[in-house]
Amino acid sequence: MKHILAASLIAVAALATTGCAVTSGQSTVGQYVDDATVATRVKARFAEDAQVSAMRIQVETLNGTVQLSGFATTQAEKDRAAQIARATPDVKEVRNNIIVRPAN
């Protein structure tokens, strides 16, 4: 529950600092907010999962399509991140651009 609250606060702060600006590809402020909510949900689920690092994986959402980027230490972590994203409400598609790079 703490992770969800923290992720929600981060999302609210992000929206406040950007002024809810609509970016290229998003038709309305409502769509922007919806995409921000989806990204926050995915990140919160990463934070709750023991196998996925919410700190190394970035989440961006545009019109319900989630793009994952960053680094995973194993193929299993990369696959689990995509699985979590696909299972998140309102996600239409997942593009998994995570790079597998073993920990040093």
Side-chain angles (χ1 to χ4, degrees):
M1 189 65 181
K2 282 183 175 181
H3 296 292
I4 293 172
L5 180 60
S8 297
L9 290 174
I10 291 168
V12 169
L15 289 174
T17 59
T18 61
C20 294
V22 176
T23 61
S24 177
Q26 292 164 321
S27 57
T28 66
V29 171
Q31 182 62 49
Y32 177 84
V33 171
D34 290 347
D35 285 341
T37 300
V38 168
T40 300
R41 284 182 189 149
V42 172
K43 285 295 273 189
R45 288 176 179 219
F46 285 175
E48 294 171 348
D49 193 274
Q51 189 177 355
V52 175
S53 171
M55 300 302 290
R56 290 191 314 265
I57 299 174
Q58 291 76 48
V59 179
E60 293 184 31
T61 307
L62 182 62
N63 297 324
T65 298
V66 173
Q67 179 172 317
L68 305 176
S69 60
F71 298 95
T73 57
T74 65
Q75 183 65 42
E77 181 182 8
K78 176 181 178 175
D79 295 343
R80 178 74 179 139
Q83 179 185 31
I84 290 169
R86 281 188 199 93
T88 302
D90 300 319
V91 171
K92 296 176 184 173
E93 180 182 348
V94 174
R95 295 184 183 161
N96 191 348
N97 295 324
I98 297 170
I99 296 169
V100 177
R101 185 173 69 186
N104 293 329

